[in-house]
């Protein structure tokens, strides 16, 4: 049975990674699960310099989902390399580094730095974080800016480039195509949805940042639709995510058109989820006599 | 790489789940791998499986440890604790524990611990009292009589308990810091050095931090922040901690919940 | 205690109505609840001629939500007037009629017909149905078309006009303003979100229409954010909806900026919901000593 | 205005919930206001309160009525029926019932009913058999022996039961329509007029519809469509029904679930 998939020139031993920002820098959950079973480890978003992030409260629970406005707290490129890279480098599975900047040049500079580091599996361009003023969804909802960011990063590195699109557009196919044309090797779909919750007792938003991003099982049907739309528009592979809790959810993303998937919010309440998804996927393939996981990609039957 | 304490995920069986006072409950869980690892001030992150529509685990301080079981003392405040309070012996919960950096148990002949607790903050302090070689005083405060928990258990350890209630229905009337302040102002022999330990709502922690500064005493505070993952990955639970000239956010679930009061950047604490 | 609110010149005795398409034509649920307790009855979308709707399956359950692709099945204006209007007219509370068309002229014609009918409370322009090829979200995601539809309807009727915006845009404030400037008396936010679910056993989409609209508690945080954004941009009242199950949800919408709210998907599993919401709202106001429900509108405290 | 049958929403208490065969369960509910109103072929729309993450009610045919209780006979097929099967006597469900347009009970001296049921389709037909003045034959089919439900109950009413299983483990081997066809081909006295009634999966209904046409017999079919509201407001559950030269969608939950076979626009049925 073949479970391995390719994201640009990166080979993942199986199609299941974790979503950026829901798995720290890998080491934390290494205490609960064997990271070497994963398809790849994807780390929290990094920009050039350290980032303090937003004030608290930063998350709030919602119906079958949650809001977050962490504000991309992080150690910056140097801090990351010093503190977390030695461990990640020691893993048998590739690391996908989620990067961002507030200018096109900063994105490119971060890409250059990780290109120079050596050993990185792929870079994921976060152009879709709803929780920061500059550099987040701004790049992901403006197709001209998106093309600029991807082009600049493409020039800065030969590492596989995954563009993480914003869900908050009426036509995801257009943005998918822009990223592909600008040289992205793959897409990641979807990031969180701009959202809000209010504590009616205090009349204050539940997040200090006022608004945040909605993630978790609640959004899965929207994410499936986005992946399906994008997959029809491009030839490059898609990493599908948004509310995956069970192997069935992952298989649904694959059928919709994803080549790989990422487990996000579910890690917070059930850190075993990525391994359970891999096991369930294997079992499904056995039962259905599917020999290569790539047969699942885009296999939804849509003839009316 | 940073130091990360050991933690385990386990399906824990409910041994008992009984009302304590009013809206407080005591839950005993069988978790043979976890129980022996627990240090005072650590917490368990509990997935309440029958909870509907809500996904996240709930953090609770570990109250007592006995053999292959540990217990928590919780207050029903919302949907998770409400559903938890309706669960029965034999049912299962998923637990990740022990979590966090707990209290430093004073060394033999070391400081005399003065514990300050508000409401279910008492739960976080029992193991510390039990394992401390020096007996000390526990100052416990609450709104009403029913908010004063497990006095007898501390008394049974040979500790002195000073209770205060805001409505005067039990112990002294007023805030928990009043008798503490009185105690600190009482002249003591030079041999007697105190260390403060506190767990409770943020205003209480702030007040204890202030007393520690005024009396130049060490203090360890268990900070109260909302959590999501409880295991250090999501960066939900941060508080501002001094770092050189400036400050940085540290995780209550990993670097905390117990912090040295002097390390906290109080101006940034809400 | 005042519970009444105004939507243009329409007075609702309380701010709780039902969402179009989740309450039939009123009579069905009259067997379970007293319709005269509602703020208004809002009926399923009507276009000029009868509409067959989409093939089945038309709905699918999702995590804390559901998908639908009914395809606006309906009796057309004449059928509606003959079959359902006599009952609705006999109610003490106003009827809001949700209308749509496939052309600007059809919207205007339907508006003219209902204007002529007499006794209609308000018209809700559905420019945001994701489940029909022409005439749905197409008008709601193109600001020029939106302006044309609203302008044409404004000329066709003096009835209060409620424009039901599409959620599927990066900047709802822009569309809210366009509707206001074109003469809309109020906004309804939000319609369902384009989404999809796949049955992994059969590999077929769960809906015959392939995609559908996601509604229910899952989407509430996104809807709250949309209402909040729109309320900052316009002066006209907003009817907030999306996942309301309890009075608390309704109060959250009011605080975010809504003047009234609509209960949708919850009717399907708990037809008592609208009445429970009204009762809970009253109780909240009593407890918090709020004398006029209008004090709640936009009362969220967002000073950081 | 259209005619809308009476329905009620009630909190129903579980009287018992026991396994029948294999994955089938019998659930008895106390619902004093609803029970007396029930007609054969009607259904109840049940909200399974402990069900997580899933909002909608589940429709089940009403199997039997006794005093202030009614029962359903259900198969565990997914998350709702799975959770339902774990509920116990004393627990509550929310029920909207009776719903839909059921079977026409034949008048005294009228047609002799031939019932055709697949799997839990049997549940929908018991009240009809019980209330029909003429006893008839019930043809029941299923995959395996365990799928043949409540034979004894029908036999106890004095009905003839002809069982078929696809694997031959019980009754005749084959499809339920085979013995029915044989029966229809047997010459009968002219006085004896039959009427077909069927409930089961769509292929069975199609086959019965075809037989009704071929033998020119009236047939009432309980159609199997997914439901959402169950009460006529959402337009989920529609099937194509002849209307003049053309067809229109009608609601299985309101105009149905029982339709006259001749009214159905079969070309449009999937
Ligand atoms: C380190 C730590 C130790 C704790 N120890 C105890 C204890 O020993 N006994 C006890 O009764 N309670 C304790 N709490 C508080 C306890 O976690 C909350 O009361 C509980 O999460 C409320 O859940 P709920 O579903 O009933 O409330 P809801 O309000 O429905 O919860 C909604 C969300 O808010 C979070 N939340 C709500 N209140 C708090 C709070 N005060 N702190 C953190 N998160 C909160 C919940 O975890 C959940 O994610 C502790 C909290 C922390 C951080
Ligand atoms: C009029 C009518 C009468 C019925 N009577 C019976 C009965 O007497 N006994 C019995 O065992 N079953 C009966 N069913 C089928 C029963 O409703 C489904 O088996 C049940 O809804 C499955 O729910 P679940 O959560 O276990 O399955 P899931 O697959 O988890 O359900 C997911 C969704 O699909 C719907 N669904 C799934 N299967 C069906 C189905 N076959 N028909 C309609 N909706 C479905 C569910 O209601 C739910 O909304 C009847 C259905 C209808 C329409
Ligand atoms: C707490 C939190 C932090 C996140 N941080 C990042 C991030 O740093 N970079 C990024 O691209 N996405 C980030 N995301 C988005 C996730 O990677 C993922 O796209 C999203 O959560 C959807 O998947 P899920 O529903 O499975 O969680 C974050 C999500 C959460 C919940
Ligand atoms: C089955 C169904 C049918 C709907 N039909 C219509 C419609 O005809 N016109 C319309 O404007 N909105 C329609 N809607 C959208 C609702 O009016 C409402 O905007 C949406 O469901 C969000 O609210 P909720 O989450 O409370 O359901 C429909 C929704 C559902 C679920
Ligand atoms: S709760 Fe996630 S890092 Fe502390
Ligand atoms: S299920 Fe809603 S109309 Fe029939």
């Amino acid at each position: 049975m073949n479970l391995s998939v390719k994201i640009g020139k990166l080979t993942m031993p199986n199609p299941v990674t974790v979503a950026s920002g829901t798995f720290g820098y890998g080491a934390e959950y290494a205490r609960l699960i064997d990271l070497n079973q994963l398809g790849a480890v994807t780390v929290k978003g990094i920009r050039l310099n350290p980032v303090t992030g937003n004030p608290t409260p930063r998350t709030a629970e919602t119906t079958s989902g949650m809001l977050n406005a962490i504000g991309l707290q992080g150690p910056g490129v140097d801090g990351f390399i010093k503190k977390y890279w030695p461990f990640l480098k020691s893993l048998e599975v590739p690391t996908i580094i989620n990067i961002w900047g507030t200018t096109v040049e900063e994105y490119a500079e971060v890409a250059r730095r990780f290109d120079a580091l050596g050993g990185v599996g792929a870079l994921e361009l976060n152009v879709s974080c709803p929780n920061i003023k500059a550099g987040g969804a701004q790049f992901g909802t403006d197709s001209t800016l998106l093309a600029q960011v991807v082009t600049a990063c493409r020039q800065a590195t030969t590492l596989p480039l995954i563009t993480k699109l914003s869900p908050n557009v009426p036509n995801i196919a257009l943005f998918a195509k822009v990223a592909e044309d600008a040289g992205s090797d793959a897409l990641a779909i979807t990031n969180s949805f701009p959202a809000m919750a209010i504590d009616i007792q205090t009349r204050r938003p539940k997040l200090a940042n006022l608004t945040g991003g909605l993630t978790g099982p609640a959004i899965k049907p929207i994410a499936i639709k986005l992946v399906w739309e994008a997959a029809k528009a491009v030839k490059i592979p898609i990493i599908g995510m948004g509310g995956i809790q069970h192997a069935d959810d992952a298989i649904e993303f694959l059928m919709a058109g994803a080549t790989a998937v990422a487990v996000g919010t579910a890690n917070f309440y059930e850190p075993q989820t990525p391994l359970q998804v891999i096991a369930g996927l294997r079992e499904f393939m056995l039962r259905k006599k599917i020999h290569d996981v790539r047969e699942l990609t885009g296999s939804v039957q849509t003839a009316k | 790489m940073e130091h990360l304490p050991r933690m385990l995920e386990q399906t824990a069986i409910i041994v008992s789940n009984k009302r304590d006072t009013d809206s407080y409950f005591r839950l005993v869980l069988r978790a043979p791998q976890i129980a022996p690892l627990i240090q005072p001030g650590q917490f368990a992150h509990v997935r309440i499986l029958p909870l509907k529509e809500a996904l996240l685990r709930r953090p609770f301080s570990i109250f007592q440890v006995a053999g292959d079981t540990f217990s928590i003392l919780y207050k029903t405040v919302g949907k998770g604790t409400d559903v938890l309070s309706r669960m029965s012996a034999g049912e299962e919960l998923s637990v990740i524990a022990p979590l966090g950096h707990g209290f430093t148990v004073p060394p033999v002949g070391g400081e005399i611990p003065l514990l300050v607790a508000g409401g279910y903050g008492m739960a976080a302090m029992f193991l510390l009292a039990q394992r401390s070689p020096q007996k000390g005083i526990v100052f416990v405060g609450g709104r009403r009589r029913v908010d004063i928990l497990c006095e007898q258990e501390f008394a049974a350890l040979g500790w002195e308990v000073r209770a205060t209630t805001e409505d005067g229905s039990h112990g002294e009337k007023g805030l928990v810091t009043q008798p503490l302040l009185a105690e600190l102002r009482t002249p003591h022999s030079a041999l007697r050095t105190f260390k403060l330990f506190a767990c409770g709502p943020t205003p209480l922690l702030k007040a204890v931090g202030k007393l520690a500064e005024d009396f130049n005493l060490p203090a360890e505070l268990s900070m109260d922040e909302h959590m999501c993952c409880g295991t250090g990955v999501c960066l939900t639970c941060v508080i501002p901690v001094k770092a050189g000239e400036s400050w940085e956010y540290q995780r209550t679930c990993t670097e905390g919940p117990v912090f040295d009061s002097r390390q906290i950047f109080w101006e940034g604490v809400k």
Side-chain angles (χ1 to χ4, degrees), chain A, chain B:
Chain A
M1 192 190 288
N2 175 55
L3 281 179
S4 80
V5 295
K6 293 200 77 170
I7 299 298
K9 64 184 181 190
L10 170 70
T11 301
M12 287 169 59
N14 68 62
V16 183
T17 183
V18 289
S20 174
T22 69
F23 211 76
Y25 304 98
E28 298 87 349
Y29 279 144
R31 295 173 289 166
L32 291 178
I33 69 170
D34 176 6
L35 303 192
N36 287 324
Q37 307 283 322
L38 297 175
V41 172
T42 306
V43 299
K44 174 87 189 149
I46 313 276
R47 71 175 282 198
L48 203 52
N49 297 318
V51 180
T52 305
N54 289 327
T56 57
R58 288 176 166 187
T59 58
E61 200 175 36
T62 67
T63 304
S64 293
M66 63 173 281
L67 299 182
N68 90 82
I70 305 297
L72 289 168
Q73 177 177 337
V77 174
D78 290 329
F80 170 80
I81 293 175
K82 191 166 155 233
K83 224 171 150 188
Y84 305 111
W85 184 241
F87 172 78
L88 289 163
K89 204 172 50 177
S90 77
L91 296 178
E92 289 158 28
V93 293
T95 298
I96 298 173
I97 301 183
N98 183 280
I99 68 171
W100 66 286
T102 55
T103 61
V104 171
E105 187 32 50
E106 186 179 355
Y107 272 98
E109 177 59 20
V110 177
R112 251 190 301 279
R113 295 287 306 276
F114 283 118
D115 189 86
L117 180 63
V120 170
L123 295 181
E124 183 174 70
L125 307 181
N126 180 3
V127 291
S128 44
C129 180
N131 302 324
I132 42 171
K133 287 214 179 46
Q138 176 202 337
F139 289 96
T141 54
D142 177 328
S143 58
T144 315
L145 279 177
L146 177 66
Q148 287 174 11
V149 168
V150 178
T151 305
C153 290
R154 181 70 296 162
Q155 282 159 5
T157 179
T158 58
L159 288 171
L161 277 186
I162 303 160
T163 305
K164 189 159 177 184
L165 297 178
S166 171
N168 202 28
V169 295
N171 183 0
I172 191 90
L174 172 81
F175 288 82
K177 198 80 188 62
V178 165
E180 178 178 48
D181 291 346
S184 193
D185 297 298
L187 304 173
I189 297 172
T190 178
N191 212 315
S192 59
F193 289 78
M196 186 178 195
I198 299 168
D199 180 330
I200 65 165
Q201 300 305 328
T202 63
R203 297 196 185 192
R204 305 258 330 152
K206 288 194 180 170
L207 300 179
N209 190 51
L210 308 185
T211 65
L214 178 66
T215 62
I219 65 167
K220 191 187 74 172
I222 314 184
I224 293 284
K225 161 80 156 48
L226 291 171
V227 167
W228 182 67
E229 291 278 353
K232 288 189 293 179
V234 298
K235 295 205 181 59
I236 52 177
I238 297 173
I239 306 180
M241 68 193 84
I244 296 176
Q245 298 193 92
H246 308 292
D248 288 6
D249 303 320
I251 294 163
E252 198 177 345
F253 273 100
L254 297 176
M255 289 182 175
T259 294
V261 295
V263 174
T265 302
N267 292 311
F268 298 151
Y269 53 93
E270 186 41 77
Q272 309 294 334
T273 308
L275 301 190
Q276 289 166 351
V277 166
I278 296 166
L281 175 60
R282 248 184 236 284
E283 204 188 287
F284 180 84
M285 288 173 62
L286 260 178
R287 204 160 8 97
K288 300 276 178 181
K289 302 198 171 47
I290 296 164
H291 303 290
D292 190 329
V293 73
R294 291 170 301 182
E295 290 169 32
L296 287 173
T297 296
S299 64
V300 61
Q301 304 294 316
T302 53
K304 284 209 187 182
Chain B
M1 214 189 63
E2 52 181 350
H3 164 74
L4 292 168
R6 184 146 172 229
M7 64 181 178
L8 294 171
E9 181 172 356
Q10 217 185 334
T11 299
I13 314 280
I14 299 181
V15 176
S16 73
N17 188 26
K18 296 210 183 93
R19 192 181 291 274
D20 192 73
T21 69
D22 197 44
S23 53
Y24 295 90
F25 286 76
R26 288 173 181 230
L27 173 74
V28 182
L29 291 172
R30 173 154 296 117
Q33 281 135 295
I34 288 169
L37 303 176
I38 295 165
Q39 299 299 320
Q42 287 191 305
F43 69 94
H45 213 27
V46 179
R47 189 160 181 214
I48 302 163
L49 301 166
L51 184 56
K52 284 174 73 165
E53 304 193 335
L55 301 169
L56 301 177
R57 288 171 183 262
R58 269 60 179 156
F60 299 99
S61 301
I62 293 167
F63 171 40
Q64 294 177 325
V65 178
D68 62 356
T69 69
F70 71 85
S71 66
I72 67 174
L73 183 50
Y74 65 97
K75 181 174 184 177
T76 53
V77 298
K79 50 187 171 311
T81 46
D82 179 57
V83 169
L84 186 59
S85 73
R86 293 166 203 277
M87 292 184 76
S88 321
E91 291 188 85
E92 292 181 350
L93 294 167
S94 166
V95 171
I96 301 180
L99 291 169
H101 169 96
F103 294 113
T104 318
V105 179
V108 178
E111 309 95 338
I112 293 172
L114 298 182
L115 315 189
V116 193
Y120 58 71
M122 276 295 256
M125 319 213 82
F126 182 81
L127 284 179
L128 173 61
Q130 193 179 37
R131 297 189 188 177
S132 168
Q134 289 78 243
K135 298 191 203 317
I137 310 174
V138 51
F139 298 87
V140 51
R143 190 96 58 83
R144 302 161 306 149
R145 174 183 257 282
V146 289
D147 298 311
I148 307 299
L149 306 172
C150 49
E151 266 186 281
Q152 298 88 322
E153 265 118 333
F154 279 83
L157 293 176
W159 280 55
E160 186 180 340
V161 183
R162 304 253 187 97
T164 42
T165 50
E166 288 172 41
D167 69 356
S169 54
H170 183 62
E172 199 172 312
K173 181 175 172 143
L175 292 175
V176 67
T177 40
Q178 290 166 2
L180 171 63
L181 185 61
E183 177 69 28
L184 292 174
R185 283 188 178 142
T186 312
H188 290 290
S189 108
L191 287 175
R192 203 169 171 197
T193 60
F194 288 123
K195 181 169 177 182
L196 293 166
F197 296 88
C199 183
T202 304
L204 179 147
L205 299 173
K206 276 193 176 165
V208 174
K210 180 74 173 41
L211 285 178
E213 202 186 315
D214 293 349
F215 288 87
N216 197 24
L217 289 176
E220 292 191 3
L221 310 178
S222 181
M223 301 299 286
D224 186 27
E225 268 296 330
H226 274 224
M227 288 184 183
C228 167
C229 71
T231 55
V233 306
C234 74
L235 307 176
T236 288
C237 61
V238 295
I239 62 160
V241 169
K242 287 174 194 156
E245 298 291 278
S246 178
W247 59 272
E248 62 181 21
Y249 275 130
Q250 288 191 6
R251 297 164 298 185
T252 307
C253 68
T254 306
E255 284 82 37
V258 176
F259 290 90
D260 181 329
S261 175
R262 283 162 301 201
Q263 287 309 109
I264 294 168
F265 179 68
W266 287 106
E267 294 84 336
V269 174
K270 296 198 206 169

